[in-house]
Amino acid sequence: MLLKFSKADILNSSLVYPDTGALGYTILTRSHFIRAGDKDSDTESEDEAVETRRTIIYNKNGISMAGIVWEGRRPVEITIGQEKINVKGMFGCQSAILSHNILGIPARFDTEFFWMAAPDGLTLLDYDSNEIKGQFHVNSLRVGERFITTPISGLGHDYLEFEPHPLASTDELIVTFLLMEILRRGRFNQHSDAFDRPKLWRSTSLANFRRRLRRGTI
């Protein structure tokens, strides 16, 4: 499946099918304020309001399919359909992969699938076969079946590409992608604000890691 973001802000964008232009999903993020308990009158005379952000994913018919509540960059509540999931429950129990500038987080729906975050991108990797099952193409031009990253920010579009998995819904894949992309940006300092568009990186660390993995499994 291939989806194109209509805006640079991945948390406030439509997801369309690029071949037809048809709407697939809409992602909206809004601020909410939660009142804290009353403070001691000696220190505060008014209630404090804590800001959170709520991301809702709607299908093409405008029906809410999933949601994420954020405190800063940290997700604190996740809902997919009728299922409420804690953040750790969105990922597998296997050990994470750490290698230089690589962070690999296991997927919950398949013990061999890892979300691989690096300065140069985010992919969903089948670790057993070393095959890419999903990828985020940032600021890219689509030429046939290929994606070319442009050197000028804003010239291309962002695309989310992934293969369907029998144990994971499209809603879950989109939610997990959003969690991992925000985590990736924070880990590699690719933002000036929690939800800014990442800078254009030229690192080849992720590609190099896959080549090393391939040589190690031959």
Side-chain angles (χ1 to χ4, degrees), residues 97-112:
I97 297 173
L98 296 173
S99 175
H100 302 293
N101 281 339
I102 298 293
L103 173 63
I105 304 294
R108 75 165 183 165
F109 54 83
D110 193 311
T111 58
E112 298 298 333

Side-chain angles (χ1 to χ4, degrees), residues 34-97:
I34 301 175
R35 288 192 177 277
D38 291 339
K39 297 294 182 180
D40 189 292
S41 58
D42 292 334
T43 58
E44 292 286 343
S45 59
E46 297 181 356
D47 292 345
E48 288 186 347
V50 178
E51 182 182 8
T52 64
R53 298 187 186 185
R54 185 182 300 273
T55 297
I56 305 294
I57 300 171
Y58 300 92
N59 67 11
K60 64 180 181 180
N61 298 316
I63 299 172
S64 174
M65 305 300 292
I68 307 170
V69 176
W70 310 85
E71 289 183 358
R73 303 186 198 102
R74 185 170 64 92
V76 294
E77 182 181 308
I78 298 167
T79 304
I80 301 176
Q82 300 300 316
E83 182 183 10
K84 290 189 176 181
I85 311 165
N86 63 46
V87 177
K88 290 183 179 179
M90 285 298 299
F91 301 98
C93 300
Q94 309 94 298
S95 298
I97 297 173

Side-chain angles (χ1 to χ4, degrees), residues 21 36 56 63 74 84 87 89 92 98 115 148 155 157 179 188 194-195 199 205 211:
I56 305 294
I63 299 172
R74 185 170 64 92
K84 290 189 176 181
V87 177
L98 296 173
W115 291 92
I148 301 173
L155 181 61
H157 289 91
L179 296 173
F188 299 111
F195 301 100
K199 299 175 184 177
S205 57
R211 284 195 291 269

Side-chain angles (χ1 to χ4, degrees), residues 8 15 24-26 46 50 55 58 62 64-65 86 105-106 123 125 128 133 144-146 149 156 194 201-202 209:
L15 286 172
Y25 295 86
T26 300
E46 297 181 356
V50 178
T55 297
Y58 300 92
S64 174
M65 305 300 292
N86 63 46
I105 304 294
T123 62
L125 178 70
D128 186 47
K133 299 297 184 179
E145 298 300 317
R146 297 173 57 239
T149 302
W201 287 71
R202 298 179 181 273
F209 178 83

